[in-house]
Amino acid sequence: MKTVFDKTTRDELISRIDALNENSKNAWGKMNVYQVLKHCTLWDEWVQSGKNNKQVLIGRLFGKMALKKLVKDESPLGRNTPTLPELKIKETNGDVESEKKKWIALINEYAHFSNPDFFHSFFGKMTKEQVGQLAYKHADHHLRQFNS
C-alpha cells in the first residue's frame, strides 16, 4: 500500500504536482486547479499541525468502518468524495505556482511527520500507517482529478 512516508511515493506525488499548471482542467468535480491546490495544502497542513479535532457525530457512528474500507487496499478514493466544510475553498483565483510550491513543501514534510496523535474529524484517532495511506490517497485523488 502506498504511503506518503515512503520517499519514492513522495517523489512521485511531487512530479505529478509539478505537472499541474494554470491551464489544467478537471475531469470531474467542481474545483478548479487553484482551488484543488489550496485545498490540498490546507488538508496537509491540518494533518501535520498537531491540532486536536472533534469528531462529528456521524463520524462516531461510521468513521472507523469507513476508514477501514478506505485503507484496506490500493483502490483510489471515489469521484466526488465529500470534503470537510472547513477545507472547502470558495476563492476561485490565486497564484497556482505559489500553491504548488507550498503543497510540495508539505509533501516533503511527511519525511519528518511528528503528529502520532492525529485525530480526524470524521475517522477519529488514526495510526501513523493509516495517516500515511490516507494522505497518499487524498493527494492521488486530486491529482487524478486533473489527469496528473
Side-chain angles (χ1 to χ4, degrees):
M1 178 88 74
K2 288 192 174 186
T3 174
V4 292
F5 299 130
D6 175 67
K7 182 170 179 7
T8 303
T9 301
R10 287 193 308 274
D11 290 345
E12 171 213 324
L13 290 173
I14 289 167
S15 175
R16 292 168 66 191
I17 293 166
D18 259 342
L20 297 172
N21 63 56
E22 57 278 341
N23 297 316
S24 297
K25 300 292 180 212
N26 58 350
W28 76 83
K30 297 177 183 175
M31 289 191 280
N32 66 29
V33 70
Y34 170 75
Q35 289 171 312
V36 159
L37 290 165
K38 182 77 173 176
H39 164 79
C40 289
T41 298
L42 289 175
W43 194 91
D44 285 313
E45 285 174 344
W46 172 61
V47 171
Q48 296 178 31
S49 72
K51 293 179 189 171
N52 278 335
N53 302 297
K54 292 183 179 180
Q55 192 171 20
V56 295
L57 178 60
I58 192 125
R60 287 187 205 149
L61 299 173
F62 301 108
K64 286 295 179 200
M65 184 172 48
L67 179 62
K68 283 182 183 181
K69 183 178 178 189
L70 279 178
V71 298
K72 73 177 167 109
D73 60 29
E74 295 280 338
S75 61
L77 295 178
R79 291 183 176 192
N80 301 311
T81 300
T83 191
L84 300 169
E86 59 269 24
L87 297 176
K88 289 184 179 179
I89 308 302
K90 291 182 173 59
E91 61 201 75
T92 58
N93 296 316
D95 187 342
V96 168
E97 289 304 312
S98 175
E99 285 305 316
K100 279 173 50 173
K101 287 178 185 172
K102 286 180 195 174
W103 193 17
I104 288 169
L106 286 163
I107 294 294
N108 280 320
E109 277 302 307
Y110 281 110
H112 311 288
F113 184 74
S114 61
N115 187 5
D117 297 320
F118 177 66
F119 193 91
H120 192 281
S121 313
F122 182 76
F123 300 123
K125 176 101 172 83
M126 295 175 62
T127 66
K128 182 177 179 180
E129 181 181 35
Q130 290 169 329
V131 170
Q133 293 167 346
L134 184 61
Y136 169 76
K137 284 190 173 206
H138 181 260
D140 174 68
H141 170 77
H142 288 296
L143 291 166
R144 283 185 310 101
Q145 184 179 1
F146 283 84
N147 298 311
S148 180

